[in-house]
Amino acid sequence: MKKKAQIQSGETIIVLIIVMILLILGLVFYSSFQGESRQEERTREAQINAMSIALRTANLEELRCSQIVQRLERCIDYYKLDLTPDIINQNFEKYFSFFGNTNVTLHFVTNPEGNLKDPVNIYSYTGNFTRQSIPSFLPIIIRDPVERINYFGYLEVRVLT
Amino acid sequence: MKKAQIEIAGLLVIVIIISIVLFFGLLLSSGRSEEPSQAEFFDLQIASTIMPTIMESSTNCTPQTNSPYYTNKELLDVCVRNTGFICQGKNACELLEDIINQTLTKILNKWQVSYFLNISLRDQTNSIINTLETNNCSQVRRNFIREPLIIPTRMGSVIADFKLCQ
């Protein structure tokens, strides 16, 4: 009788252990999934934010093409590029609310007249950061209204956190 | 209740718990694949902006001395009209193909994205330039299609069918 009771309590303990293992496995799986999806969500948010900044940069009055001669979507004026990065640097506080914790760079991809022009750093966040997001890219036209050349380029925006 | 019945009920409870765990596991993993990934988001952005921008950029050919460079859109118009225009020893269509191919290769290879591009006159099956494609992009099931870009020319509308894939 005593031996039978011992076997029965052993069975109960085994069942409890199995249930505990299942619960722990479920919790581990769920928490790792939640962690991954939170990470993905953060990355996606950073990219959406970066793309939003790229689009706003293309429409920034200090950079965008004059719409009088030719209406081009996503167009940056070549000559404004000479001045605007300096203006932004000198008024960093003002532009921080616009660009935030980002690095915004303009790259030239084509040049009908020969050598590719160097990338232009439009805005650089100067504060501390531990990681940077996957960059977002926005294809864009850089218009030289004097020579009437449209360079093909892209804006690269990295969010720093 | 007999002892055997109690044991069967206990077994049933365990089976139900395992089923619930499996059910939630499957539910979470299937829900996850339906969300657009960061790569998909990235490709959708590029797919919608890259071709209109390329078509507006300048080539290094001019119709005559001291006039502005043709844009790719204007070169396409010259190409479909078959005017006999020659620049750098190539006709307008060959030149356009070279420029688009070089531009797409330069940036999309760098961003590790494959592409498919076919440009043809509306209502015509023949391409104006050779179809450009990397890594069999047109055969990939999950590609990112922007609505075909319609470019007006003096010979009618030209359709640029552009796809990106991972």
Side-chain angles (χ1 to χ4, degrees):
Chain A
M1 189 64 190
K2 193 181 173 186
K3 201 173 182 180
K4 200 176 171 186
Q6 277 177 334
I7 290 168
Q8 276 182 340
S9 63
E11 277 176 2
T12 311
I13 288 165
I14 287 167
V15 168
L16 278 173
I17 288 169
I18 289 170
V19 170
M20 290 298 283
I21 288 170
L22 282 174
L23 279 174
I24 289 166
L25 280 177
L27 278 174
V28 167
F29 177 74
Y30 182 73
S31 61
S32 69
F33 171 79
Q34 283 293 91
E36 269 179 46
S37 60
R38 258 199 301 273
Q39 180 64 35
E40 265 186 30
E41 190 60 36
R42 270 201 295 268
T43 310
R44 203 167 23 247
E45 272 172 19
Q47 280 199 299
I48 290 169
N49 185 24
M51 182 43 63
S52 158
I53 287 169
L55 287 166
R56 282 190 284 143
T57 305
N59 284 308
L60 191 68
E61 193 57 50
E62 292 90 326
L63 285 170
R64 76 174 183 199
C65 297
S66 160
Q67 304 290 309
I68 298 165
V69 181
Q70 189 182 9
R71 197 183 178 285
L72 287 171
E73 274 186 73
R74 294 179 299 275
C75 175
I76 283 180
D77 190 308
Y78 180 74
Y79 293 101
K80 289 182 181 177
L81 269 181
D82 271 349
L83 300 170
T84 302
D86 288 340
I87 294 171
I88 290 173
N89 269 334
Q90 286 158 16
N91 302 280
F92 187 81
E93 294 295 317
K94 178 188 164 193
Y95 286 96
F96 177 73
S97 60
F98 184 88
F99 292 104
N101 302 4
T102 58
N103 279 349
V104 182
T105 312
L106 180 71
H107 298 264
F108 287 82
V109 178
T110 62
N111 180 3
E113 299 197 308
N115 292 338
L116 271 190
K117 295 180 185 301
D118 292 332
V120 179
N121 204 354
I122 294 174
Y123 171 87
S124 288
Y125 174 62
T126 50
N128 295 328
F129 63 93
T130 49
R131 67 183 197 93
Q132 49 184 316
S133 71
I134 298 165
S136 278
F137 302 105
L138 180 69
I140 202 158
I141 288 288
I142 303 122
R143 167 94 175 146
D144 179 341
V146 177
E147 299 294 333
R148 287 182 286 178
I149 299 172
N150 291 352
Y151 301 96
F152 177 78
Y154 62 90
L155 278 170
E156 177 185 343
V157 180
R158 286 175 190 268
V159 176
L160 314 168
T161 46
Chain B
M1 201 182 260
K2 285 181 182 172
K3 188 184 152 196
Q5 284 175 321
I6 294 169
E7 281 182 359
I8 285 169
L11 201 66
L12 206 65
V13 168
I14 292 173
V15 170
I16 287 168
I17 290 171
I18 292 172
S19 305
I20 289 170
V21 168
L22 284 176
F23 173 74
F24 277 109
L26 286 173
L27 196 72
L28 287 173
S29 56
S30 68
R32 189 180 173 187
S33 64
E34 280 169 14
E35 279 186 19
S37 69
Q38 60 202 47
E40 287 171 11
F41 177 73
F42 173 82
D43 289 346
L44 282 167
Q45 288 166 29
I46 299 174
S48 62
T49 54
I50 200 163
M51 277 315 291
T53 314
I54 287 179
M55 294 316 288
E56 291 293 350
S57 63
S58 297
T59 66
N60 50 1
C61 293
T62 53
Q64 58 204 35
T65 319
N66 290 332
S67 53
Y69 292 114
Y70 275 136
T71 63
N72 285 318
K73 199 163 71 178
E74 289 163 344
L75 196 64
L76 178 69
D77 184 70
V78 176
C79 162
V80 291
R81 287 191 292 124
N82 200 10
T83 58
F85 171 81
I86 299 285
C87 178
Q88 301 166 355
K90 290 176 180 171
N91 67 36
C93 298
E94 290 168 337
L95 206 63
L96 186 70
E97 183 183 323
D98 278 2
I99 293 168
I100 293 176
N101 196 15
Q102 280 169 18
T103 311
L104 286 177
T105 305
K106 202 182 272 183
I107 54 171
L108 294 181
N109 280 1
K110 190 176 168 187
W111 300 344
Q112 296 176 326
V113 184
S114 306
Y115 61 90
F116 167 88
L117 174 67
N118 182 57
I119 300 180
S120 59
L121 269 168
R122 179 180 267 177
D123 306 326
Q124 284 189 19
T125 47
N126 292 346
S127 300
I128 292 168
I129 62 170
N130 289 322
T131 300
L132 304 173
E133 185 171 18
T134 55
N135 301 327
N136 282 328
C137 184
S138 59
Q139 307 302 318
V140 176
R141 205 163 59 85
R142 291 201 73 163
N143 48 33
F144 303 95
I145 308 164
R146 187 197 185 272
E147 280 185 24
L149 179 68
I150 300 168
I151 307 155
T153 69
R154 277 174 270 187
M155 295 295 285
S157 295
V158 168
I159 311 289
D161 183 15
F162 182 61
K163 293 170 189 170
L164 291 175
C165 48
Q166 292 168 323

